[in-house]
Amino acid sequence: LYINAPEATNIYLRDSGVGMSGARISSYLVINAPKAHVECEIMLRGFVIIQDAKDFVVKDEVGKAVSLQGKARLKSDSAVNPVPMVRIDTTKEVVLSGSFDTVSVMISDAVVKMAEDTTIASLEIPENSTGALIDCESEGQLNTRIDTITASERFSLGVSANTINATKGVDYLP
C-alpha cells in the first residue's frame, strides 16, 4: 500500500475487526505525507517505509521493521508489543518518541533526536555507517536513555545530553 498525500494533514489507518479478523497489510506500507499526522491501528506484517511524515504513531503490531527514509517523527505507543525494529535510512532529521528495542543507524551523518521519556534498548551502527548525531536533549526534554550502543571502532558519535552515564559502555564490532 503506497500513500502519497503531500497536502494531507491527518491520515488514520483503522479497522473495526477484532484480532486476526481485522484488516492487515502483509507486504509494504509506504507513506509520503510530509504535512500529515499518521496513526496506524492496522496489523502490519511486512515493512513500513516512511519517506516523509510529520508524525507516524504505531498503535498496533508492526511487522519486521520501520524504515525512516526522510524527515519524520516516529511515536511508539506503550501498548505496542513487540516494538518494531527501526532503521534510520536518511540524513534528514528524525525524532523518536516512546520505547524502542532496536534502532539501527544505517547511513552516515544521520541526525536522531529523542523526545522526552524515550528509551532505546539497543542502538546499532553497522560498519558501513561512519558518523551520526544522537541528540538526547533536542527539545529540552528529560529522561531519555540508550542502554547499549554497538558500533565499529571507526565510528564517530556525537551525543548531546545533560548527563551521560556510561556504566554499560560502548561495544565495538570486531
Side-chain angles (χ1 to χ4, degrees), residues 49-136:
I49 299 171
I50 302 174
Q51 295 176 336
D52 204 343
K54 181 179 172 186
D55 291 315
F56 184 80
V57 181
V58 178
K59 290 192 166 191
D60 204 337
E61 182 179 343
V62 174
K64 300 177 173 130
V66 175
S67 172
L68 301 174
Q69 297 182 353
K71 186 173 180 174
R73 173 183 289 264
L74 178 63
K75 295 180 183 180
S76 179
D77 189 287
S78 61
V80 175
N81 189 12
V83 177
M85 192 220 12
V86 177
R87 292 174 45 111
I88 310 294
D89 291 306
T90 182
T91 57
K92 295 181 180 177
E93 177 184 292
V94 297
V95 179
L96 300 177
S97 177
S99 295
F100 300 91
D101 290 335
T102 303
V103 175
S104 295
V105 179
M106 304 303 291
I107 193 164
S108 296
D109 301 321
V111 178
V112 181
K113 294 189 174 188
M114 297 171 65
E116 183 174 10
D117 295 324
T118 296
T119 60
I120 298 173
S122 177
L123 179 67
E124 299 175 351
I125 299 100
E127 289 192 47
N128 62 333
S129 183
T130 58
L133 172 65
I134 310 299
D135 190 346
C136 298

